Amino acid sequence: MTHDEMSKSLSQETNDEYFNGEGVVSDLPNPYEDASIFLQGSCELFALALHQEFGFKVYTIPTGMSFHCFCKSNYNGTEVYIDVRGATTDFKEFISGVYLARESYDCHDFTLRDIEDDAKLSNPYDAEGLAFAKHIIHEHPERYNTELQ
């Protein structure tokens, strides 16, 4: 499955604690009903989960007021880019599926992220979001663990 196809299927990866396919299970308004939130909105939590599970370094692609967090690893001498969609060596495919206002997807303008603030889980529902991210990783380790590629 390509990263673009994966982007489209993220809404089908639901958080069973809050959503059962027939409607919301909890009366609480929770943004983590499905995995699409980790591509646009809470990418830093998914990257933090990848860091905690595999030790990957976390990076940020800044563009004005928006950004995308992801992890980067190395597999057989090739850079691998990893976010909720999984791992890929194709940076152009990786960045084209991210919702950023960019004029060119050819640049590699990203910086190492200081995840200390992300790890504090200080925003409402951060703990639930991180738990959901780890659940997704545990359900599909072949998508994220570059050792299994």
Side-chain angles (χ1 to χ4, degrees):
M1 180 178 296
T2 68
H3 261 48
D4 195 38
E5 291 168 335
M6 178 59 75
S7 296
K8 292 176 183 170
S9 71
L10 289 175
S11 62
Q12 296 171 7
E13 185 83 41
T14 60
N15 184 349
D16 293 335
E17 185 172 340
Y18 292 93
F19 190 75
N20 65 8
E22 297 175 9
V24 177
V25 174
S26 172
D27 290 336
L28 300 173
N30 188 304
Y32 297 100
E33 290 181 5
D34 66 64
S36 65
I37 190 70
F38 296 118
L39 189 59
Q40 183 179 9
S42 292
C43 52
E44 71 280 359
L45 285 180
F46 201 87
L48 177 63
L50 288 169
H51 169 77
Q52 290 177 350
E53 295 296 310
F54 302 112
F56 299 145
K57 291 184 178 179
V58 177
Y59 292 85
T60 299
I61 302 171
T63 60
M65 297 294 289
S66 65
F67 63 91
H68 182 62
C69 290
F70 66 100
C71 290
K72 194 169 70 160
S73 184
N74 193 296
Y75 179 72
N76 289 335
T78 303
E79 284 189 329
V80 179
Y81 308 95
I82 313 154
D83 66 10
V84 67
R85 298 166 294 168
T88 184
T89 57
D90 185 339
F91 184 76
K92 189 171 183 176
E93 178 187 32
F94 174 78
I95 195 65
S96 68
V98 176
Y99 307 115
L100 293 174
R102 297 192 75 79
E103 291 180 14
S104 170
Y105 293 116
D106 295 328
C107 72
H108 287 65
D109 181 24
F110 46 81
T111 57
L112 190 61
R113 184 172 178 88
D114 180 0
I115 59 170
E116 192 173 308
D117 283 340
D118 299 336
K120 290 178 183 175
L121 305 179
S122 56
N123 293 320
Y125 298 110
D126 277 358
E128 290 87 350
L130 183 63
F132 183 36
K134 287 184 177 185
H135 170 76
I136 292 168
I137 292 167
H138 291 171
E139 288 292 309
H140 308 285
E142 72 284 354
R143 291 182 190 165
Y144 309 106
N145 187 346
T146 57
E147 298 300 315
L148 298 176
Q149 301 292 317

